[in-house]
């Protein structure tokens, strides 16, 4: 018999990182509706508290925590506090992540490091701090790491993000195998979102603006498409949580689009094709080719 999200996530404690906005907020709110106590963790302490308050006002249970997942000491302190107060964590969702635009050789080294620290090290820090405690607790649990369709297929002018999400995908697969070795009752899911409405592209342009016109045009187009065509975070959260609840390793926000992305990657590897021509992507987005390109 298939377990529904409301049944599986109707009790216990959930920790969601990057939960003050976008996908993370949608996941936190849905889990609050289902009945879990939600630890809303985000680098923006104020917004984390606001999201937690909204969950409580809607009849749920939640607490906001300010934490920079790039800082192992902060993550360790969060894990210690959560287990001291609540005893166990039944669901850990590593969602915190940032984008960045530009040609690979133009990326500022500090920005590159920051993206890796949040998107890759942040996931590792949470696993390092929470997994041993989850194993010791001995209760059935689940860990869901947010990869991306960008963790399956490469895309031009987004190299830091793409590299980081490929790493998260690999880390999640390794985690699945390592937990199998020790026989821990912890399910692992790789969450592969397509387009879910958020401010990730706008935040990237504010935090690390680029002078490259093509990169700026691509991000402007992606932000426009995200607003016009992206899934509602609450709807996407409900869809993804159902897949996690039934025990799926691969979790998609949009079954058709994400399956197509996985199929493209598989076909590229089977046929040993080079990466896709970025001019096709630019044409679909209505982004003019740079001068001198052919």
């Amino acid at each position: 018999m298939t377990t529904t999200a409301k049944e599986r996530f109707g009790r216990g404690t959930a920790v969601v990182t990057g939960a003050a906005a976008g996908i993370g907020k949608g996941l936190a709110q849905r889990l609050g509706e289902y009945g879990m106590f939600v630890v809303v963790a985000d680098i923006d302490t104020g917004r984390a508290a606001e999201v937690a308050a909204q969950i409580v006002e809607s009849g749920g249970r939640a607490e906001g925590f300010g934490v920079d997942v790039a800082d192992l000491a902060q993550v360790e302190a969060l894990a210690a506090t959560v287990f001291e107060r609540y005893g166990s964590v039944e669901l850990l969702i590593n969602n915190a992540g940032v984008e960045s635009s530009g040609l690979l050789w133009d990326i500022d080294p500090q920005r590159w490091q920051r993206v890796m620290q949040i998107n890759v090290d942040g996931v590792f820090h949470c696993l390092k701090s929470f997994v041993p405690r989850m194993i010791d607790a001995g209760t059935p649990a689940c860990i869901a790491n947010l990869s991306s369709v960008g963790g399956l297929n490469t895309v031009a002018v987004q190299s830091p993000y793409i590299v980081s999400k490929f790493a998260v995908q690999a880390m999640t697969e390794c985690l699945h195998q390592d937990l199998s070795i020790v026989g821990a009752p912890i399910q692992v899911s790789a969450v592969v979102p397509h387009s879910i409405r958020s401010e990730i592209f706008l935040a990237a342009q504010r935090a690390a603006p680029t002078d490259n016109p093509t990169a700026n045009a691509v991000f402007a187009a992606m932000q426009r498409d995200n607003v016009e065509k992206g899934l509602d975070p609450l709807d996407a959260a409900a869809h993804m949580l159902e897949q996690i609840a039934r025990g799926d390793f691969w979790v998609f926000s949009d079954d058709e689009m994400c399956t197509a992305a996985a199929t493209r990657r598989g076909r590229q590897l089977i046929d040993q094709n080079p990466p896709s021509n970025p001019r096709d992507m630019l044409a679909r987005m209505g982004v003019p080719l740079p001068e001198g390109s052919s």
Side-chain angles (χ1 to χ4, degrees), residues 15 18 38 59 73 82 91 94 104 114 121 147-149 152 157 161 173 188 204 238 243 246 268:
V15 176
V38 185
V82 169
L91 177 60
N94 290 310
L104 179 56
R114 185 59 177 163
D121 295 348
S147 179
S148 168
V149 289
L152 300 177
V157 302
Y161 181 79
E173 295 186 29
V188 177
Q243 295 168 73
R246 69 181 182 227
Q268 180 190 352

Side-chain angles (χ1 to χ4, degrees), residues 191-224:
V191 182
V192 182
H194 184 252
S195 181
I196 300 174
R197 287 200 296 272
S198 73
E199 297 182 358
I200 191 169
F201 301 110
L202 291 175
Q205 289 178 308
R206 287 194 300 264
T210 176
D211 294 331
N212 184 271
T214 301
N216 283 326
V218 167
F219 262 51
M222 293 181 76
Q223 177 61 34
R224 181 191 65 235

